[in-house]
C-alpha cells in the first residue's frame, strides 16, 4: 500500500509476556520513528532509525523495550516482560528525510496494546 | 523546557463556521511546526506545516499562523464540515523527533 502499515492492529497480552509489533514504512523512506500514545494524550517519541541505524533511543522507557530495523525497511518494536503500564497505542511513522528533518512524518494507524 | 501546550481541550463549532485551534510553545530552537488531525482509531494525519521563517501558510481550507513573538501557533479551518471532527495536535520538531501537545477535540454540530 501507499501508507505506513502496522500489525497487528490490536494485541492483548498477559502481564509478563513478550510482544512484537511490526511496522512497514512507506517505500523508500529513510527515517522511521516509533511513538507511544496513552489514552487522551499526544504521541510521545520512543526511538528513531535512519535506514538501519538506530540514531536515537532516548524515549524508550526501560531496557524491556527494544527496536530494530535490520535491513533499513521493516521495523519491529519488542517489549519484554510486559507490564500494565505498557498498555497504549504504539505508532510508527516514516519520513523521506535523513538527518536535517524538515519534512512531515507520516503515521500508521498504530497497534493498540492491552496488557491484562 | 521543550513543550507544546494547547489552550482548550474541546472546541464545538457549527457546521459552516470557521474554527480556530490554538497552541502555545515554550522557548526552543525548533524551527518547524506541524498540525496533525487524528480520528478515532487512526494515526495522526498530516494537515499543514510551517517553518519559523514564515508567519502564515495556507492550504485547502486551512491556514496556519505562527507568532514567534508570543510563541503561539494557530490552525484555522474555514467552513468547518462534519468530517473535520477529530482531535487536532500541534507538534514541533526537535532534533528529528516530534514533540506533541495533548490535543484539542473539535466537535462539529449541524
Amino acid at each position: 500500500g501507499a501508507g505506513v502499515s502496522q500489525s497487528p492492529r490490536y494485541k492483548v497480552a498477559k502481564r509478563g509476556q513478550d510482544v512484537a509489533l511490526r511496522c512497514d514504512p512507506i517505500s523508500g523512506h529513510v527515517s522511521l520513528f516509533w511513538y507511544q500514545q496513552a489514552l487522551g494524550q499526544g504521541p510521545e517519541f520512543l526511538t528513531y532509525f535512519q535506514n538501519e541505524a538506530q540514531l536515537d533511543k532516548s524515549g524508550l522507557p526501560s531496557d524491556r523495550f527494544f527496536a530494530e530495523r535490520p535491513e533499513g525497511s521493516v521495523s519491529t518494536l519488542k517489549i519484554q516482560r510486559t507490564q500494565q503500564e505498557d498498555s497504549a497505542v504504539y505508532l510508527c511513522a516514516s519520513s523521506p528525510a535523513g538527518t536535517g528533518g524538515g519534512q512531515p512524518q507520516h503515521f500508521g494507524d498504530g497497534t493498540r496494546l492491552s496488557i491484562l | 523546557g521543550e513543550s507544546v501546550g494547547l489552550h482548550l481541550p474541546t472546541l464545538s463549532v457549527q457546521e459552516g463556521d470557521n474554527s480556530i485551534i490554538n497552541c502555545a510553545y515554550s522557548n526552543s530552537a525548533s524551527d518547524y511546526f506541524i498540525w496533525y488531525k487524528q480520528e478515532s482509531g487512526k494515526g495522526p494525519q498530516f494537515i499543514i506545516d510551517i517553518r519559523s521563517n514564515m508567519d502564515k501558510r495556507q492550504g485547502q481550507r486551512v491556514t496556519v499562523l505562527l507568532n514567534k513573538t508570543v510563541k503561539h501557533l494557530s490552525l484555522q479551518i474555514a467552513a468547518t464540515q462534519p468530517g473535520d471532527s477529530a482531535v487536532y495536535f500541534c507538534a514541533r520538531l526537535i532534533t528529528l523527533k516530534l514533540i506533541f501537545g495533548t490535543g484539542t477535540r473539535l466537535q462539529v454540530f449541524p
Side-chain angles (χ1 to χ4, degrees):
Chain A
V4 177
S5 178
Q6 293 187 246
S7 60
R9 287 283 284 122
Y10 303 91
K11 177 68 178 178
V12 179
K14 293 183 179 179
R15 185 163 56 94
Q17 289 183 331
D18 298 347
V19 298
L21 313 180
R22 177 187 169 103
C23 173
D24 282 89
I26 295 173
S27 178
H29 276 196
V30 170
S31 298
L32 185 145
F33 305 82
W34 285 98
Y35 292 83
Q36 180 189 60
Q37 186 173 24
L39 187 64
Q41 301 293 319
E44 292 191 352
F45 172 81
L46 294 177
T47 188
Y48 159 65
F49 290 86
Q50 181 179 322
N51 296 308
E52 70 279 2
Q54 189 174 19
L55 299 186
D56 188 340
K57 53 181 180 179
S58 62
L60 296 177
S62 75
D63 58 9
R64 297 186 296 104
F65 287 70
F66 172 76
E68 60 183 2
R69 193 187 185 197
E71 298 179 357
S73 179
V74 171
S75 177
T76 304
L77 176 66
K78 298 179 180 178
I79 309 174
Q80 298 176 322
R81 304 180 303 281
T82 52
Q83 300 177 5
Q84 285 190 324
E85 60 262 32
D86 300 335
S87 296
V89 175
Y90 290 85
L91 294 164
C92 177
S94 70
S95 163
T99 52
Q103 296 188 32
Q105 297 175 20
H106 299 274
F107 285 81
D109 286 337
T111 294
R112 181 176 296 277
L113 176 64
S114 297
I115 305 301
L116 305 179
Chain B
E2 308 299 345
S3 67
V4 177
L6 294 171
H7 294 297
L8 295 173
T10 303
L11 176 65
S12 296
V13 299
Q14 190 166 21
E15 182 178 355
D17 285 352
N18 296 334
S19 303
I20 300 176
I21 301 172
N22 296 303
C23 182
Y25 62 94
S26 59
N27 192 18
S28 171
S30 174
D31 63 355
Y32 183 57
F33 301 85
I34 309 173
W35 281 100
Y36 283 93
K37 171 187 179 184
Q38 187 172 28
E39 297 175 283
S40 180
K42 295 192 174 182
Q45 176 188 357
F46 171 81
I47 301 174
I48 191 167
D49 57 2
I50 189 168
R51 300 184 189 280
S52 60
N53 61 354
M54 304 171 68
D55 297 323
K56 178 180 180 179
R57 191 168 187 214
Q58 288 184 297
Q60 185 178 10
R61 283 201 306 118
V62 295
T63 300
V64 55
L65 299 177
L66 176 62
N67 186 329
K68 294 178 286 295
T69 301
V70 295
K71 297 182 175 58
H72 184 268
L73 190 70
S74 69
L75 177 70
Q76 301 179 2
I77 304 173
T80 312
Q81 302 170 359
D84 295 327
S85 295
V87 176
Y88 289 80
F89 293 97
C90 64
R92 61 192 310 190
L93 195 67
I94 305 287
T95 57
L96 293 174
K97 68 185 75 168
L98 287 173
I99 308 298
F100 286 82
T102 53
T104 293
R105 180 173 300 280
L106 177 64
Q107 297 178 326
V108 183
F109 57 93

